[in-house]
Each structure stands twice: as C-alpha cells, then as structure tokens.
Amino acid sequence: MTPWRFPLLGYKLGLAQPGFLWLTLLVLVTGVLVLVLALRRTTALTRVIPARLASTLAPGVSTALPVLQRMAQVGALFCFALALAQPQCGEKAEVVKRRGIDVVVALDASKSMLARDVAPSRLERARLELAGLLDELKGDRVAVVAFAGDAFIQCPLTSDYGAARIFLRAIDPAQMPQGGTNIGSALLLARQVFDNADRGSKDKVVVLLSDGEDLSGAIEEGITALKEIDARVLAVGIGSEQGEPIPVISEQGDVVGYKKDENGVTIITRLDRAGLARVAAATGGEYFHQPRGVAVADVVKVIDTLQKAELESRLTMKYGEVFQPFVGLGLFLFALSMLIVPSWRWVRT
C-alpha cells in the first residue's frame, strides 16, 4: 500500500504501512465494548448490594480495578497496532548508490530450442533458470537479447528484474522474424548494449544460452567486438549431444509432428559443446553444461566473484521511524495490566 505523508504542526509525518490502521479501529471498538461491559458490571453490583453495605458483604471487591485492567490491555493493543502502521516523523535526503556489473543475457530462440531433450523443452527450461538467475543478482543491471537468424534487444539494461522477467516470458520462436541461429549477431548486439550503457561497469558479462548450432552469422566478429571492451562470455549449453528431433507445435501447444528437411528426413538438433566452449574461451569466459538441466547456478557463482562498480546514484528521501515509542508504551501498559488485580480480596487471600 502507498505510504501516507501529511504535515502536522510544522512536522512532516507519515505512515509507511497505513493498511494496519484498521487494527486500531478494531481495538477501539473492542475498547468500547469492554467499557460498556465493565460499567454494566458496576451497575449490577450497586443494584444488588447497597453502597453502605458493600464493604461488609463484598469485602475487597472493586468495581474500578477491572475497568482499569481492561483499559490498560486495550491501550497496549492500540499502541501495538499503531506501531505496525510504522509511523514516521521528519525526513532527510540520502544518496543511494547501486553497485554491480552489466549482464547481457543472450537467449537462443531458434526452432531447435523447442527440442525436448531437456524438460519441458530447451527454451522453457532456459527461461525458468534465467528467472532464478534474476533472483540471485545483487544490484547488477541486466539486458535481454533474443536471437535466431537475427538478433534484437528484447529488454535494455535495467535493474528492474520484474520487467526483465516479463520480456523473457515473451520470447517465442514462432515470432522470430528470421529462422536459423546467428550467435555472431547476438554477440555484436550485446556489444552495442554495453556501448550504449550509462556509466557502464568495469566487468561486463554476456550470458549466452544456446544449443550452439551456429548455422549462420559471423562469430569471429562478435568475439572480437567483445574482446575490445573486455567483456567475457559465460556460455551455457542446452541440450544433448546425442540429438533430438525438433517438434512442430500447434497453436494449442501440442506436438503435431517433427521438422523435416527438403528430402523428408527428420532434422536432428544436437548440442555443439565445442563451439560454445570456444566462444567462451576466446573471451576469457567459461562454458557450463548440465546434461539434464541448465547450469545457471554456476553462472551466478562466477558473477559474484566479479568486481562491482557504481552503476547509478540517486537522491532519495529517508523518513525517520518512530514506531519504537509506541512499542515501548504498549509493553508498559501490558505489564501494568498484569499487575492490576480485579479484586483486593484475591490479594488478601
């Protein structure tokens, strides 16, 4: 819920969690009910026992102490409810600096990524693993480049990981304008992303997820472009070297057949481990592969060892937290309610 900000007597006050205010209303209603019941008890007692005989017939019985005890308990609950709403007072400007590295995720979206030698498919598993990668990034900026026969920027460099996840989910081989696999184009486009970055980081990483079947494009030009800016490629191989046919998917998501070449022979797609490892080694990076999954967890470990740089700084307003006095007063009232006994007769016995 959006915090509330309002001036009062020249002070800037606010509630960081105003949604908890409904608890204060609930406590107030409870307090009214408790007071009504206590007053009814007092009235009933005076109706049965005359005031001049109360000390004789009901020694030690108090009509005020139970009311005080309940009011102390209600007051404690009211203070706790206010504390949960996080009252704030005063503000000051504070410079927040974000440190990290720039990461370009280059995801292969060619038809071969529909192969199911990695469950549920190469592409779907890559997307799931990349979502995990975004969860592990700490202040880094990330961009998403999708490629098949050509490459394009799906998401520019951003620290908004939620937006990056949305763009990742939108990648669909059926929507790629050109078939094939052009890893070189993806590397060149990653270089362009780094060049256009504002206050780029010292360490730059391209996380390349592909089955490595480079059917077109110029990988050498892409490698050279990345080496010029000291960007390394962390290549993640997806798929199996034994090979898998490429399914043809209907609009309903069902497999209705398998891709065939012009001679009617079923096309088998295989992981090109050597090609991906060569790209990674040429840029000073590493190659990762897990036979039954996607080795993104290993990528995270490498990223964590890289040198973080200041990517951005912004001026934010910090509000002073004043919930502590309400917690302290609530604890005092709760302790006081435990010390108040409803009847002096109980104390005497």
Side-chain angles (χ1 to χ4, degrees):
M1 188 174 181
T2 304
W4 289 359
R5 310 290 179 206
F6 51 90
L8 180 65
L9 301 177
Y11 293 95
K12 293 186 176 180
L13 306 180
L15 294 173
Q17 300 292 335
F20 285 102
L21 284 180
W22 69 270
L23 288 175
T24 63
L25 297 177
L26 180 61
V27 170
L28 289 176
V29 172
T30 303
V32 172
L33 293 176
V34 168
L35 180 60
V36 169
L37 292 175
L39 291 176
R40 288 182 62 183
R41 179 177 182 273
T42 301
T43 304
L45 184 63
T46 55
R47 189 186 306 118
V48 174
I49 303 175
R52 67 178 185 277
L53 301 177
S55 60
T56 303
L57 299 179
V61 175
S62 172
T63 57
L65 289 177
V67 176
L68 291 176
Q69 184 184 52
R70 296 295 181 266
M71 288 299 99
Q73 292 171 346
V74 170
L77 293 175
F78 185 81
C79 290
F80 292 149
L82 277 179
L84 287 174
Q86 273 186 257
Q88 298 172 327
C89 179
E91 62 180 5
K92 65 177 180 178
E94 189 175 81
V95 177
V96 177
K97 297 181 179 180
R98 180 184 291 273
R99 296 182 61 85
I101 66 171
D102 288 335
V103 179
V104 174
V105 173
L107 179 58
D108 188 347
S110 60
K111 294 291 195 302
S112 63
M113 291 292 287
L114 296 174
R116 301 189 174 187
D117 47 359
V118 177
S121 72
R122 295 178 181 178
L123 181 60
E124 287 301 322
R125 186 58 182 268
R127 275 200 282 242
L128 289 172
E129 295 286 346
L130 284 173
L133 169 65
L134 294 175
D135 291 336
E136 297 296 330
L137 294 181
K138 304 176 181 68
D140 307 299
R141 293 187 300 193
V142 62
V144 178
V145 170
F147 68 95
D150 198 3
F152 62 93
I153 300 174
Q154 183 80 356
C155 174
L157 276 174
T158 180
S159 55
D160 186 349
Y161 301 145
R165 287 188 184 90
I166 294 174
F167 285 114
L168 274 174
R169 289 196 295 268
I171 296 176
D172 184 359
Q175 303 298 324
M176 300 302 290
Q178 185 175 342
T181 306
N182 192 340
I183 294 178
S185 176
L187 300 182
L188 290 171
L189 193 55
R191 164 65 188 269
Q192 181 180 327
V193 171
F194 290 131
D195 289 342
N196 294 335
D198 179 36
R199 300 174 68 176
S201 63
K202 180 177 180 181
D203 282 333
K204 304 174 181 64
V205 169
V206 176
V207 180
L208 173 64
L209 296 100
S210 174
D211 52 29
E213 288 190 323
D214 187 32
L215 306 181
S216 61
I219 285 187
E220 295 303 326
E221 286 83 347
I223 291 174
T224 301
L226 293 180
K227 289 174 65 175
E228 290 174 351
I229 58 172
D230 294 326
R232 68 187 73 185
V233 174
L234 301 180
V236 180
I238 305 176
S240 64
E241 293 178 287
Q242 290 74 27
E244 183 80 5
I246 303 173
V248 177
I249 310 296
S250 67
E251 293 183 359
Q252 291 73 32
D254 301 321
V255 177
V256 295
Y258 294 93
K259 287 183 66 67
K260 303 180 184 297
D261 60 18
E262 60 273 10
N263 299 318
V265 178
T266 300
I267 299 174
I268 301 297
T269 173
R270 294 179 174 84
L271 169 67
D272 184 2
R273 178 193 294 264
L276 290 172
R278 183 175 67 84
V279 173
T283 59
E286 296 183 50
Y287 170 76
F288 305 96
H289 177 251
Q290 288 184 2
R292 298 184 179 276
V294 181
V296 170
D298 299 322
V299 173
V300 173
K301 295 178 182 178
V302 175
I303 291 177
D304 286 342
T305 65
L306 301 180
Q307 182 177 349
K308 309 289 184 177
E310 183 181 323
L311 297 178
E312 62 177 346
S313 60
R314 51 192 174 87
L315 190 66
T316 61
M317 301 305 297
K318 187 178 175 116
Y319 298 89
E321 301 287 347
V322 291
F323 68 89
Q324 299 90 338
F326 294 97
V327 174
L329 180 58
L331 291 174
F332 170 77
L333 291 174
F334 186 72
L336 182 62
S337 71
M338 297 179 65
L339 295 176
I340 298 175
V341 292
S343 172
W344 288 110
R345 185 176 184 180
W346 178 84
V347 175
R348 291 171 184 172
T349 57

